[in-house]
Amino acid sequence: MKFRNATLAIAVSVALGTTASVSAAENGSNAKEEKVERIAVVGSRAAPRSVADSPVPIDIIGGDELGKNASSDMLDMLQATVPSFSVRQQPISDAASFIRPVNLRGLSSDSTLILLNGKRRHRASVIAFQGGGVNDGAQGPDISVIPSVALKQVEVLRDGAAAQYGSDAIAGVMNFVLKDASDGGSISVRRGEYYEGDGDSTVVDGNIGLPFTKDGFVNLSFQYKNADATSRSVQRPDAQALADAGNTYINDPAQTWGNPEIDEDITLFGNMGLDLGNDKEFYMFGNYSDRTATGGYYYRNPQNRGGVFTGVNPAILAADPTAYDGIDNPLLVGDSTGDLSGNCPIIDASQANVLNDPAYISGIQNNDDCWAFNELFPGGYTPQFTGVINDTSLTMGTRGEIKGGFLNETFYDISGSVGRNKSTYTLVDTVNPSLGALNLDQPNNAFEAGSYTQLEKSFNIDLSKGVDIGLTDPANVAAGLEWRQESFEITSGEQASWEQGDLATQGFSVGSHGFAGFSPEAQGINSRQSIAAYVDVEAYLTDDFLLGAALRYEDFSSFGDTLNYKLSAQYTLNDELSFRASHSTGFRAPTVGQANVVNTQTSLVSGELIQSATYPPTHPVSVALGGVELEPEESKSFAVGLVYQSGDFFMTVDAYNIEVTDRVAQTDKIFVTQAHVDALQGLYASPELLLGGSVTFFANDFDTKTQGVDVVANYAMELMGGDTKLSLAYNYNSTDVEDAGEYTSGFKIRRLEEGIPEHTGTLTLSQNWEDISMFLRANYYGEWFATHADEPDEFSSYGWSETVGSSVTFDAQVSYFVNDSWTLSAGANNIFDKDAQELQKTDGAAFGAVSGVYYESGPYDYNGGYYYVKATYNF
């Protein structure tokens, strides 16, 4: 029996066209590119078919094609090959720096369903609280854990498919197909760095196929990676001013703006199949991944960071209402006596260097009853945020053909899956301000902040049968059931990370600064279950006209049920030209994490750092601000396209329209006022601690309409004594926000509509000779709206936003086949070191609180050019 990757019918060879190149290396040869059939299993419950015969647009990218990239991150590889797919670097974005959110067709990362071998992939535990507008609050799967060495191919269904696959498949579906060879393999070592001389990375990966008895296979893959941090930083003017005034404790730069450090990133993938005889087989696949990432936060200035270094002590003010008269920026001083008998001084922190103030030296530095954090961090501090991301999954099942009885010649697939993603957070070089001098007892000024855990389980039964209804070919009728359980767990951090210390009543912030630890009140497990049933029918009404219909009913324990449908059709006009169309409804259930997450972080607003808390929408704080229980998003999709193929030329053109109502997203920051505090009295403990900060929660607050066009074209020829292939991929994508509610500002709307370029494309020239292969790729990015990730107002006096014109970057790689076993490669991304858009400047210097040189929200890597060398041994 031929092994199939999570399909419902025996694979058949029906294809001619291709939407992505396949090198001979993928087929065990290093001579030159060969023409092979490209078969997709995603998008249809019928027998796998070619991309040319599919009634919906599908890209198929071979594992070797993905590997033609300087980056070893799957996200960057996909962006280089699928123009409607986008991702960006995320410095100083909490856990989103470690698991970056992605976009397909301009929609959020949790609007794309991810499959592994045709089975639903679990989502990550990380929620992107700073997601750059489009992904604010998104919680999608962690695609980056999947190494290209483990992949046979990636299938990208660019069409709504919730009626076939369930929640999340609004923008489309991505199916990662693991290698299934029973012999051979490879091992490679890659080393690279940025042109700036930082970001050094080393990647070692390998794959091996083994027989599993004489009737099966085991295919194993691994990847081990380390990457240094990068810095595209300038010294902050405020930090430089302190150094110029004689503060010798200032680092240069005081704050780093760049990629996080990746340490001990190891990933293991396994795929197994066993022929049980009588057209039946057992299969199992899964992964284990673990990595540690460390990134920086914003600099805490020792003479203006409120709640830590500066501010009014309300206890002193209550005792003497005139104590702070004439001082706009007082040093925040805590009195540890309990009755204010410490006689702590009032010091103006606006002076050049408070460390030289005699009142500071005598009244604080030499007074055990008074405390200021300048004693612990005289030069200020920049917290370091570390995340340990652990990801595991296992799927097993059996499939085959039923023979005899009512279900004779019915193909079945019965499977069960479990997936878990855990992110554990630690902060270093920070404090819990409310603990005052007790922070001196905290080893390395480190705090274990707690963890998020996403756990998903599913069980599927799928049936597929050809039914004779009097047409030329039998109609394919598929039906199935699915049960899923999803849980989101918050584990509290160590007590010091969340504790409300004695100085909380004296104006000092509570919790580990930068990312407050999860308290026991926030700790807990929330879960939901769902059950679904579907039916899917496809039939050729004539030899040239394919018609498909799908209907899916799903019931959730949290918000109720939903019914969705899909219609698709393809008409073949002649051997060269065919037309296709689809219409579907869909939905995206709000994640359990979005409905229950608790988080406190530091955000930059108008140049000032403030505490920003996120609560569940049904939490008393959220309810007081207008929060209500979340409802699912709903969508309607329409698409029309054509497929043209003539000889060695292949092209698809697809236009689409996606309307999404009641989109779930994180609200804009709601700044807490005294009126809010008064309203929360008796409903929430110590609401006065929220004063001066902001609150967000998740809400169904706006609708969007997304329209676009995808063009994919390939042309193969013989040039320069070798095989040549030209590949073009272009995407036009435009999003309009409609019916925005009170929690969605005009600035956020602009980020949703303009934050991703409307026009993107790649043009690739691939050349293969007997001993050498090469490619040159041009990447085009249209106009886009640049902004700093935290800044909430495009009209801010800081001006951290502007419209940026189009850009072009180039990538290249050359490989030399030493012999049948060894291949040596060298290449670069952004080979001409095209600079990203620089931040607007004042007096020739980047804005102080940013410290960065470039906008981080751009469509390509702001770190600049990156080169690499690679050696591969095939066996």
Side-chain angles (χ1 to χ4, degrees):
M1 180 177 180
K2 181 176 180 178
F3 290 106
R4 308 177 310 281
N5 282 288
T7 63
L8 298 178
I10 296 177
V12 293
S13 297
V14 293
L16 293 173
T18 175
T19 61
S21 63
V22 182
S23 75
E26 184 180 347
N27 298 288
S29 168
N30 58 18
K32 60 182 180 179
E33 186 170 304
E34 301 173 353
K35 296 179 181 179
V36 298
E37 295 178 328
R38 307 297 284 150
I39 305 298
V41 301
V42 72
S44 173
R45 299 285 183 179
R49 56 167 56 94
S50 74
V51 294
D53 293 331
S54 172
V56 290
I58 298 175
D59 294 321
I60 299 182
I61 307 106
D64 71 303
E65 183 76 9
L66 291 168
K68 294 178 179 179
N69 198 294
S71 175
S72 59
D73 192 315
M74 178 59 62
L75 304 181
D76 299 318
M77 297 178 187
L78 289 169
Q79 181 171 239
T81 52
V82 182
S84 58
F85 181 93
S86 61
V87 65
R88 63 181 180 85
Q89 300 293 340
Q90 300 232 167
I92 312 185
S93 297
D94 291 335
S97 298
F98 310 146
I99 299 181
R100 295 182 291 159
V102 303
N103 311 101
L104 183 65
R105 289 184 163 178
L107 297 176
S108 62
S109 63
D110 43 18
S111 294
T112 299
L113 178 63
I114 305 301
L115 307 177
L116 182 65
N117 277 2
K119 304 298 182 182
R120 178 183 286 264
R121 179 82 175 159
H122 61 281
R123 68 181 76 252
S125 56
V126 168
I127 298 175
F129 295 109
Q130 297 176 11
V134 176
N135 281 308
D136 286 346
Q139 188 187 5
D142 184 6
I143 302 174
S144 66
V145 302
I146 308 174
S148 63
V149 72
L151 294 177
K152 183 177 182 179
Q153 64 186 39
V154 179
E155 303 163 356
V156 183
L157 169 61
R158 295 178 276 111
D159 195 48
Q164 296 167 292
Y165 299 102
S167 176
D168 304 346
I170 291 178
V173 180
M174 303 182 72
N175 183 31
F176 294 81
V177 184
L178 298 175
K179 290 179 178 177
D180 55 6
S182 60
D183 57 13
S186 68
I187 187 168
S188 70
V189 179
R190 174 163 51 182
R191 175 79 176 176
E193 68 177 22
Y194 285 98
Y195 289 11
E196 291 286 334
D198 59 6
D200 295 14
S201 68
T202 301
V203 181
V204 180
D205 62 30
N207 170 266
I208 186 170
L210 301 168
F212 184 58
T213 76
K214 63 182 179 63
D215 298 317
F217 72 91
V218 174
N219 195 277
L220 304 173
S221 303
F222 81 93
Q223 178 178 275
Y224 179 79
K225 176 169 65 175
N226 286 299
D228 292 343
T230 65
S231 176
R232 300 297 174 266
S233 311
V234 294
Q235 179 63 301
R236 291 171 49 130
D238 59 343
Q240 187 60 51
L242 290 170
D244 294 341
N247 189 324
T248 59
Y249 299 95
I250 306 298
N251 292 323
D252 188 4
Q255 171 185 316
T256 299
W257 191 261
N259 290 358
E261 177 186 5
I262 306 298
D263 187 39
E264 302 290 330
D265 183 351
I266 185 167
T267 295
L268 306 173
F269 269 82
N271 188 25
M272 187 191 83
L274 178 64
D275 189 345
L276 302 177
N278 199 27
D279 288 332
K280 295 177 176 61
E281 64 174 294
F282 169 80
Y283 60 88
M284 181 171 67
F285 55 88
N287 79 284
Y288 171 84
S289 173
D290 191 84
R291 68 183 184 272
T292 301
T294 302
Y297 272 178
Y298 292 108
Y299 171 63
R300 272 64 174 171
N301 186 306
Q303 293 188 203
N304 68 17
R305 177 60 180 102
V308 185
F309 292 105
T310 61
V312 171
N313 185 325
I316 294 177
L317 185 64
D320 181 4
T322 65
Y324 293 98
D325 286 358
I327 300 179
D328 295 328
N329 183 38
L331 196 70
L332 184 56
V333 181
D335 189 312
S336 60
T337 63
D339 58 4
L340 301 183
S341 61
N343 296 316
C344 299
I346 305 298
I347 298 175
D348 188 351
S350 299
Q351 59 185 291
N353 186 357
V354 299
L355 301 181
N356 295 331
D357 191 317
Y360 171 81
I361 296 172
S362 62
I364 298 175
Q365 190 171 312
N366 296 322
N367 183 352
D368 292 340
D369 292 332
C370 299
W371 169 261
F373 273 96
N374 306 70
E375 298 180 82
L376 178 60
F377 288 112
Y381 62 97
T382 305
Q384 298 295 300
F385 185 57
T386 296
V388 178
I389 313 297
N390 182 270
D391 186 279
T392 56
S393 70
L394 180 65
T395 297
M396 62 178 63
T398 181
R399 58 190 167 216
E401 183 180 359
I402 300 173
K403 297 182 178 180
F406 174 74
L407 295 178
N408 185 43
E409 297 183 343
T410 296
F411 294 95
Y412 70 89
D413 188 336
I414 302 174
S415 65
S417 300
V418 60
R420 178 180 179 270
N421 184 279
K422 181 179 182 180
S423 49
T424 304
Y425 307 123
T426 301
L427 278 82
V428 179
D429 293 335
T430 192
V431 296
N432 178 340
S434 70
L435 295 179
L438 293 178
N439 283 278
L440 295 170
D441 300 328
Q442 201 70 20
N444 301 316
N445 299 114
F447 297 81
E448 295 180 5
S451 63
Y452 292 140
T453 303
Q454 177 77 17
L455 178 64
E456 298 181 29
K457 303 172 185 177
S458 63
F459 181 76
N460 295 79
I461 300 176
D462 301 294
L463 303 173
S464 178
K465 179 179 176 63
V467 179
D468 188 357
I469 57 175
L471 301 174
T472 304
D473 296 314
N476 187 84
V477 179
L481 298 172
E482 180 180 61
W483 173 87
R484 286 198 299 129
Q485 183 183 73
E486 176 182 351
S487 68
F488 183 80
E489 179 180 4
I490 301 176
T491 302
S492 63
E494 65 173 298
Q495 182 172 339
S497 72
W498 52 262
E499 182 179 5
Q500 181 176 320
D502 292 340
L503 293 186
T505 58
Q506 297 189 41
F508 289 84
S509 299
V510 176
S512 47
H513 215 234
F515 190 98
F518 308 134
S519 68
E521 290 77 14
Q523 179 171 285
I525 301 175
N526 292 277
S527 63
R528 72 162 178 233
Q529 297 182 7
S530 66
I531 187 168
Y534 74 87
V535 62
D536 189 320
V537 180
E538 283 190 2
Y540 278 95
L541 302 185
T542 70
D543 289 342
D544 302 320
F545 185 43
L546 172 65
L547 186 65
L551 187 68
R552 184 183 181 97
Y553 172 81
E554 195 152 0
D555 184 64
F556 288 80
S557 60
S558 55
F559 61 81
D561 58 3
T562 179
L563 182 67
N564 295 279
Y565 66 86
K566 180 170 184 175
L567 301 172
S568 60
Q570 182 176 45
Y571 178 71
T572 303
L573 185 65
N574 52 46
D575 290 341
E576 297 180 341
L577 182 64
S578 62
F579 299 93
R580 58 193 181 191
S582 67
H583 165 57
S584 64
T585 62
F587 76 105
R588 187 185 75 79
T591 72
V592 178
Q594 290 170 337
N596 297 281
V597 70
V598 176
N599 178 268
T600 301
Q601 60 185 9
T602 301
S603 298
L604 182 68
V605 177
S606 298
E608 299 293 334
L609 294 177
I610 68 167
Q611 294 293 94
S612 182
T614 300
Y615 294 106
T618 54
H619 187 277
V621 173
S622 303
V623 172
L625 298 173
V628 296
E629 189 168 350
L630 296 175
E631 297 290 336
E633 300 177 357
E634 296 183 347
S635 68
K636 289 184 180 180
S637 300
F638 301 86
V640 294
L642 63 86
V643 180
Y644 178 80
Q645 51 185 345
S646 177
D648 292 321
F649 179 75
F650 177 87
M651 180 178 71
T652 65
V653 180
D654 294 278
Y656 55 88
N657 181 297
I658 307 170
E659 299 176 6
V660 186
T661 58
D662 295 328
R663 281 187 59 168
V664 175
Q666 194 176 2
T667 67
D668 281 330
K669 294 178 177 65
I670 303 169
F671 298 98
V672 179
T673 65
Q674 186 61 51
H676 294 138
V677 172
D678 294 341
L680 285 168
Q681 293 294 341
L683 300 176
Y684 177 69
S686 304
E688 62 277 1
L689 296 179
L690 298 173
L691 196 62
S694 69
V695 169
T696 68
F697 51 88
F698 287 86
N700 301 94
D701 201 48
F702 59 92
D703 306 337
T704 57
K705 177 186 289 186
T706 300
Q707 302 178 83
V709 177
D710 289 321
V711 178
V712 177
N714 295 303
Y715 181 61
M717 66 194 104
E718 293 186 0
L719 286 178
M720 299 176 287
D723 295 325
T724 305
K725 185 172 187 176
L726 281 171
S727 302
L728 169 70
Y730 163 79
N731 172 251
Y732 164 75
N733 192 88
S734 175
T735 295
D736 292 318
V737 176
E738 302 174 343
D739 297 327
E742 61 177 307
Y743 305 113
T744 304
S745 66
F747 179 64
K748 183 171 183 176
I749 290 174
R750 189 173 181 191
R751 296 180 75 186
L752 287 163
E753 294 181 341
E754 303 175 31
I756 298 175
E758 288 191 348
H759 301 273
T760 56
T762 62
L763 178 63
T764 305
L765 170 66
S766 299
Q767 184 71 32
N768 290 273
W769 294 279
E770 184 173 349
D771 296 323
I772 297 175
S773 73
M774 58 153 290
F775 82 88
L776 176 66
R777 179 172 56 230
N779 310 288
Y780 173 79
Y781 309 98
E783 185 178 276
W784 55 284
F785 178 55
T787 179
H788 178 68
D790 288 340
E791 183 57 46
D793 185 1
E794 65 178 307
F795 303 109
S796 165
S797 60
Y798 286 84
W800 290 327
S801 62
E802 60 182 298
T803 298
V804 179
S806 59
S807 303
V808 178
T809 65
F810 294 88
D811 309 328
Q813 177 181 288
V814 177
S815 296
Y816 173 60
F817 306 116
V818 179
N819 51 43
D820 289 342
S821 298
W822 283 99
T823 303
L824 303 178
S825 303
N829 278 10
N830 193 1
I831 57 177
F832 299 117
D833 199 21
K834 169 72 175 176
D835 284 338
Q837 182 68 21
E838 290 191 1
L839 283 159
Q840 296 185 52
K841 297 179 179 179
T842 296
D843 299 328
F847 286 108
V850 176
S851 187
V853 179
Y854 307 107
Y855 285 105
E856 46 79 30
S857 58
Y860 60 93
D861 192 346
Y862 62 79
N863 287 289
Y866 183 96
Y867 66 91
Y868 61 97
V869 293
K870 180 180 180 180
T872 303
Y873 178 73
N874 297 291
F875 55 89

